Amino acid sequence: MRIIRGRIYGPVFSPTPPSVLFIAMLAAEIFGLAGVVAGSSWGFLKDRRVILAVQAFATVMFGIHYGLLGAWSGAGMCVMTLVQATASLPQKHSRATTILFWSTVPMIAVLTFLTWNGLASAGAAFGMAMATLGRWQKDTFKLRWFFVLCSTGWATHNAIVGSPFGLASDTMCFVSNLWRLRSELSLRRLRHQESRGVPVLSGGIPTGLPASA
């Protein structure tokens, strides 16, 4: 991590007094920690608008974190995330919010090109692409699947730029959304059985079937 940070900080802050470099690194850690707290919590939430609002806050924290690390692809994608979150908050998509939201797609490509740093930029771009598709979903079940894929792309980016806080947030996002997907899938199956008139025991097993079925 020291090698990565030395490579990142060098061209951005050089020549830099050690005290200034230390403050910048400390600030990056603080904003990264705040991003982890917010980014780790939204996966357990149920309401779509609350999910997007918490994501927006986490994005601001991580945007500053990446900027201090000199990870400009990640920082640029965070700006696009804020634009998307703002356009996605209304329950009904108007023409204006639709144009605003999808205008970020070409900007993602431009930012990736301008800040290209190999696999790190590719990971951020893939994560952002999956997040874009996820935020447009009104169904939280579909939204979560896209964000499971999103977390894998960002994990690649964060591993390369040396962001343990980003990796922690990605891991929590991955695990929490898989957990919620499992719960929602069980609930949907239960509702499907009820709609077909199949009696269901309290344990969730249709009557007349063995427990091992």
Side-chain angles (χ1 to χ4, degrees):
M1 187 180 299
R2 289 182 179 179
I3 295 176
I4 294 175
R5 290 188 174 178
R7 176 176 59 81
I8 293 174
Y9 276 112
V12 178
F13 293 99
S14 182
T16 307
S19 59
V20 175
L21 182 59
F22 174 78
I23 292 174
M25 293 177 65
L26 179 61
E29 304 296 303
I30 293 173
F31 283 107
L33 179 60
V36 169
V37 173
S40 300
S41 61
W42 74 261
F44 296 101
L45 301 173
K46 296 181 180 181
D47 184 80
R48 174 182 171 275
R49 295 187 68 181
V50 176
I51 287 174
L52 293 173
V54 174
Q55 281 183 355
F57 176 78
T59 296
V60 173
M61 298 298 100
F62 273 116
I64 299 173
H65 171 71
Y66 291 139
L68 289 169
L69 286 180
W72 304 117
S73 288
M77 296 306 171
C78 285
V79 175
M80 293 298 98
T81 296
L82 282 177
V83 175
Q84 289 185 359
T86 301
S88 302
L89 277 175
Q91 190 63 34
K92 294 184 178 179
H93 300 306
S94 66
R95 183 177 181 181
T97 57
T98 299
I99 294 175
L100 177 62
F101 184 91
W102 291 108
S103 67
T104 61
V105 173
M107 288 302 301
I108 292 171
V110 172
L111 282 172
T112 302
F113 174 77
L114 294 177
T115 63
W116 182 253
N117 187 29
L119 193 56
S121 297
F126 175 79
M128 190 64 194
M130 294 300 100
T132 299
L133 295 174
R135 290 190 186 93
W136 194 248
Q137 306 301 316
K138 293 184 178 181
D139 184 352
T140 56
F141 187 78
K142 295 179 181 179
L143 178 149
R144 293 184 194 282
W145 274 119
F146 281 112
F147 274 97
V148 166
L149 296 174
C150 166
S151 62
T152 62
W154 277 107
T156 301
H157 169 272
N158 291 324
I160 294 174
V161 303
S163 174
F165 294 107
L167 283 173
S169 180
D170 296 331
T171 301
M172 287 299 297
C173 174
F174 185 84
V175 172
S176 62
N177 277 292
L178 282 181
W179 180 78
R180 288 296 305 174
L181 281 168
R182 180 177 178 275
S183 299
E184 291 182 21
L185 184 59
S186 298
L187 182 60
R188 290 188 177 205
R189 287 175 177 173
L190 182 61
R191 289 174 177 171
H192 179 66
Q193 291 170 357
E194 291 176 343
S195 67
R196 294 176 58 190
V198 180
V200 179
L201 296 175
S202 59
I205 302 175
T207 57
L209 293 178
S212 58

